[in-house]
Amino acid sequence: MTRIFIVDDHVLIREGLKKILRTESDLTIVGEAQCGNEALDKLDKCNCDVLILDIALPDKSGLEILKEVKDQHPKMHVIILSLYPEERYALRAMKDGADGYITKNGAAEELFLAIRTVMAGKKYVSPTFTQELV
């Protein structure tokens, strides 16, 4: 069972992600937070495998939280979830330690693929972005 923690400042996004993730029997939600500081506090108390982290949060940027999470929980997989297109932040996020980067306009199947890819120890970016990098 893959344990997932969601960080997004929009309730509707968190609720939608939980509904989507609950459709998969091998995924479970173990926590959620609406801002970076709340996430850092809660992550110390829960055991999760994958952190789905919004890049734009009200208190700190997702990239700042990413660095803190990777310092405090180096084995935790982090997937950045963003409204911004990959060419704007994905490379930076990956250099800062993200295991994956997906945009909010992606399909549920892409989210599942990203989670399973990072759990297999690989990095995830969309095939489109991979082509742009090549």
Side-chain angles (χ1 to χ4, degrees):
M1 184 71 65
T2 300
R3 298 162 303 212
I4 300 169
F5 192 99
I6 301 166
V7 183
D8 195 292
D9 56 326
H10 297 96
V11 175
L12 190 59
I13 297 294
R14 289 194 315 272
E15 291 300 318
L17 286 170
K18 289 189 293 187
K19 186 174 183 178
I20 290 167
L21 292 167
R22 285 186 185 123
T23 65
E24 299 294 296
S25 61
D26 62 327
L27 306 177
T28 186
I29 294 96
V30 295
E32 64 181 276
Q34 65 182 352
C35 66
N37 288 325
E38 179 186 5
L40 292 171
D41 289 342
K42 288 183 174 182
L43 285 171
D44 287 336
K45 298 171 186 84
C46 86
N47 189 13
C48 83
D49 302 305
V50 177
L51 173 65
I52 298 175
L53 179 62
D54 186 10
I55 201 167
L57 296 168
D59 55 349
K60 294 182 176 181
S61 82
L63 295 176
E64 288 177 276
I65 299 301
L66 168 64
K67 289 176 185 176
E68 291 184 51
V69 166
K70 285 299 188 170
D71 285 343
Q72 296 172 17
H73 309 277
K75 294 184 180 181
M76 188 179 296
H77 302 287
V78 180
I79 297 172
I80 297 292
L81 180 64
S82 178
L83 280 173
Y84 304 111
E86 291 167 306
E87 62 270 5
R88 187 155 175 203
Y89 288 108
L91 198 53
R92 180 174 169 202
M94 301 303 258
K95 286 180 180 177
D96 288 347
D99 298 287
Y101 189 101
I102 59 174
T103 60
K104 289 183 178 179
N105 65 357
E109 290 74 28
E110 183 179 16
L111 177 60
F112 302 146
L113 179 59
I115 291 168
R116 292 185 177 110
T117 299
V118 302
M119 285 300 295
K122 299 176 184 173
K123 302 286 186 181
Y124 181 86
V125 292
S126 74
T128 305
F129 187 65
T130 302
Q131 284 292 20
E132 287 178 27
L133 288 175
V134 171

